[in-house]
Amino acid sequence: MRAETEDDGRIALIQSDIWIGFPRAEQVLDRLQGLIEMPRQTRMPGLLVHGTSGIGKTMIARNLSRRYAPEYDPESGVTHTPLLLLQAPPAPDERRFYMHILAAVGAPSSTLSLKAQSVASLEVRVVGLLRDLGLRMIMIDEVHNLLAGTHREQRRFLNVLRYLSNELEASLVCYGVSEAVDAIRGDVQLARRLDEHHLPNWRDDAEFSDMIQTLIAAMPLERKSNLKVRSLKQILALTGGVTSRIFALVKELSIDAIISGDECVTDDAITK
């Protein structure tokens, strides 16, 4: 009989973040990698990745962030940070955004409280610091949050994003639900610079079948799962074709398979 601690370890592995390099995600990553390695220029191109909540935008952003993690140079004593991943504030607030950037890069607190500093002084400090870090790409997740502000506040926040990209000669990448497209289009100059990449919900096709098989194969189960086409259709119907729901369902089925001793995802388990 298998040791309980081994099962616990496999279940913990299933419950952790799992990256599956399916083609649609790799396509976005290839575009992003091309942007971050592009020679600097005054008007750096960028990308707006949009789709349903849970479709995999944040997963892609975090994967790229891990690929380009900060590196410390002991000779110069400088930490090079090619990529900065931030979440848009709940509302388009410039001060809050600048303070969030300083916190994200671990900037030491100045003698003057950040809250007491003007937006202009925070701006100067942020630009100088990010330039020293050698930043090449700024990624803003949940960019649709700026829709919570007034039209004037949205325009000001978009101006900040465009300004940072210009000053640092860094690519700007935004992630959000489809409503984010309308928000970004509120700044014509910024919209022209950001190509749009839509991540659609999964459909009943070969790409979905391949993704499910790859995902199940990544689970630490002892037996191979041979699912019928009917089961794939059921998974699609249960999850609405949303990546995060698909992952959650397959993980739940895999954990049940370990606990029950089946050691594979079965058609009966999906039906139940």
Side-chain angles (χ1 to χ4, degrees):
M1 184 175 179
R2 190 184 300 108
E4 183 179 349
T5 53
E6 182 183 340
D7 284 352
D8 290 343
R10 290 194 296 155
I11 290 173
L13 181 62
I14 291 172
Q15 292 172 331
S16 64
D17 285 337
I18 296 176
W19 169 257
I20 302 297
F22 43 88
R24 64 164 59 181
E26 294 294 344
Q27 182 183 11
V28 179
L29 285 169
D30 287 344
R31 294 189 68 176
L32 294 173
Q33 193 159 329
L35 287 174
I36 200 170
E37 295 178 358
M38 181 178 292
R40 293 185 186 275
Q41 51 187 283
T42 306
R43 297 290 183 267
M44 291 292 289
L47 191 66
L48 169 60
V49 183
H50 62 96
T52 306
S53 178
I55 203 62
K57 302 179 295 294
T58 300
M59 180 175 63
I60 291 171
R62 288 177 178 171
N63 184 272
L64 188 73
S65 182
R66 286 192 292 269
R67 292 187 186 186
Y68 291 91
E71 292 185 357
Y72 177 71
D73 184 354
E75 293 186 5
S76 63
V78 175
T79 299
H80 296 288
T81 306
L83 185 154
L84 185 61
L85 173 58
L86 304 162
Q87 183 170 314
D93 184 317
E94 298 165 74
R95 176 185 296 277
R96 197 174 194 173
F97 184 59
Y98 284 136
M99 291 173 65
H100 186 36
I101 291 176
L102 292 172
V105 298
S109 300
S110 62
T111 53
L112 181 63
S113 170
L114 290 178
K115 292 184 178 180
Q117 294 183 42
S118 67
V119 172
S121 62
L122 286 172
E123 174 189 289
V124 170
R125 186 179 177 195
V126 164
V127 170
L129 181 60
L130 295 184
R131 186 176 286 126
D132 290 342
L133 294 175
L135 194 71
R136 300 191 63 86
M137 177 179 285
I138 306 171
M139 295 199 300
I140 312 294
D141 198 11
E142 308 286 349
V143 75
H144 49 266
N145 285 349
L146 65 88
L147 292 172
T150 64
H151 181 68
R152 177 183 175 84
E153 289 171 336
Q154 293 177 35
R155 291 297 300 273
R156 286 178 63 89
F157 191 77
L158 291 172
N159 283 340
V160 168
L161 297 182
R162 181 159 45 84
Y163 169 76
L164 287 176
S165 178
N166 291 345
E167 281 293 303
L168 299 168
E169 295 183 338
S171 292
L172 175 66
V173 178
C174 297
Y175 301 85
V177 298
S178 295
E179 288 81 1
V181 177
D182 294 330
I184 294 296
R185 287 175 181 169
D187 186 307
V188 177
Q189 295 182 53
L190 187 60
R192 287 174 180 168
R193 205 181 305 174
L194 299 185
D195 284 342
E196 295 177 13
H197 189 109
H198 179 237
L199 287 173
N201 287 24
W202 295 91
R203 297 180 298 175
D204 184 12
D205 54 18
E207 185 184 21
F208 174 68
S209 176
D210 290 344
M211 188 273 285
I212 290 294
Q213 292 179 45
T214 302
L215 177 57
I216 294 177
M219 299 294 111
L221 300 175
E222 296 182 354
R223 295 174 57 204
K224 184 177 180 180
S225 302
N226 295 306
L227 298 178
K228 296 178 181 177
V229 173
R230 181 193 66 189
S231 294
L232 299 182
K233 292 180 181 293
Q234 286 178 323
I235 291 176
L236 192 62
L238 286 166
T239 61
V242 176
T243 309
S244 61
R245 294 177 186 171
I246 294 169
F247 273 51
L249 178 59
V250 170
K251 286 184 174 187
E252 183 180 346
L253 289 165
S254 299
I255 291 172
D256 288 346
I258 291 175
I259 294 173
S260 67
D262 289 337
E263 288 296 342
C264 67
V265 176
T266 64
D267 295 305
D268 287 342
I270 293 173
T271 300
K272 291 176 182 177

